Amino acid sequence: MTSYIFRYFNVAGFGETSRLLLAASKADWSDEKPEWPQEKPNQPFGRLPVLVEQSADGSPDFVLSESATIERYIARTYGFLPMDPGEAAQQEQLRDRLNDVVIAFFTPNLVDASAREAKNAEFVGLLDRLFSVHSELLRKNGNNGHLFGTELSYADIATYAFLRMFLVNPMESLKQSPQLVKSKLTPELVKLAVTAEADPLLEAYVSKRGKVADVVQV
Amino acid sequence: MTADNTTPTYVLRYFDIIGLAETSRMLLTAAKAEWTEEHPEWPQEKPNQPFGHLPVLVEKSGAEDEEDFVLSESGSIERYLARKFNFVPTDNKQMARHEQLRDQHLDAIIAFFAQLSLVDEAKKEKREDFDAMLDKVIEIHTSLIRKNDDCGYLFGEELTFADMSAYAFYKLLVMYAVTFEADVAPFVKDKITPEVLHLLRTVESDPLLHEHVEKKGSFVAHILTE
């Protein structure tokens, strides 16, 4: 049977969506937190996360880098992303956008103090737009807690991971953002989170690692 | 072909720069798709884009009652075109290899832009990140070219998504990033290995990209002069 090692730091960061996908796939998988930076030269691109797929028949490991590529690979393998390019693209663009917003959050740390306020305002603007687009999609899909169709999808998991990152045991470096994100949640997004957490595919994972439902009013 | 013309046509909406659209331009041309480019008034057109930013791809089916398919996010646009027009393998693992390269190119580009507005120690540190990522990308390209019998493509014997993404990567740094920081052009040019140059030549001379090179000019010629 195929098994996976997900090599990353001990944070949600750019790894949570992959972990959720692995959990939902019911595949045999484990987290690996490498010594850093000692293990840097041993990674294909010198960075994390890395996914190592080990097959049962002894053929060489398949090693993949880049968080989004890892996610899409797992999602396609286990049917969380459709094979139709148009349908897949609609989900993938949402994930790319979520990622842009996460990066925008960290950008104020990269610019000097005079530009920081503008960058923070930019993050808030992006967050508003993001939540508005997501909520609209959820409404158009009948407000069943899914962005597309009626089952847990890649887009659902990526969105849920974004919410988890800010709301469930958030990192110190996120500072005031958890309150900000919580204050901007729409009923549709709350329903997405609750639906994901109630899904049998994710129940075991969230019962061990905390729930969005415990943090917000449901 | 039916009388009502249901071949899709495409509009690529972006600024008139290399930026993050070059790979998509190449894919559309290599696919022999019917496409045009639109340069919207900015920021006036910002609220009219699905996510308030560019690039955006609009696919019009040609059928009267069908809505346009609108896609945002350069990576998603590229992967959509690459899959639809068979510039990536359908095998999941092989497809992932193309995608991880593309993501790696983008990370290096982001790293370059992230250090632009910094100064002193912070800039030095971030610039070193970019340098390391650039070195890694070049190392990977060089290794893949060699392993592929030095035929000039990264994978297989035909032009693929990975090749176009790599070409656009070097072109962006040498011809676009240079407008932000002049030293990046000679810096990158000096690091280009013979194998990478072979890749760039091979991509540029591929018949599928003849029209693209005619329109945009030869990047290889640009590298070799000076």
Side-chain angles (χ1 to χ4, degrees), chain B residues 92-118:
Chain B
N92 211 359
K93 287 182 165 67
Q94 289 185 52
M95 188 189 288
R97 288 200 176 96
H98 285 251
E99 291 183 17
Q100 83 176 336
L101 260 189
R102 187 273 174 190
D103 285 353
Q104 191 61 203
H105 299 156
L106 185 71
D107 279 356
I109 287 165
I110 287 174
F112 171 78
F113 283 98
Q115 56 86 38
L116 271 184
S117 59
L118 300 175

Side-chain angles (χ1 to χ4, degrees), chain B residues 125-201:
Chain B
E125 212 182 285
K126 278 286 166 187
R127 179 58 199 251
E128 277 168 9
D129 281 350
F130 164 68
D131 293 351
M133 290 177 75
L134 174 66
D135 282 342
K136 197 69 184 179
V137 167
I138 291 174
E139 183 193 311
I140 304 258
H141 288 166
T142 302
S143 164
L144 285 170
I145 297 286
R146 283 197 197 132
K147 277 205 282 208
N148 198 25
D149 285 335
D150 222 337
C151 71
Y153 295 112
L154 287 164
F155 301 109
E157 294 158 12
E158 287 175 351
L159 185 69
T160 64
F161 174 41
D163 299 318
M164 289 184 258
S165 179
Y167 179 90
F169 168 73
Y170 291 106
K171 187 171 176 186
L172 182 149
L173 288 174
V174 174
M175 298 186 69
Y176 175 65
V178 68
T179 62
F180 295 88
E181 240 172 44
D183 84 304
V184 72
F187 182 75
V188 172
K189 278 199 261 192
D190 279 346
K191 287 178 177 278
I192 285 177
T193 59
E195 287 83 358
V196 167
L197 185 60
H198 186 193
L199 165 69
L200 298 175
R201 282 183 195 277

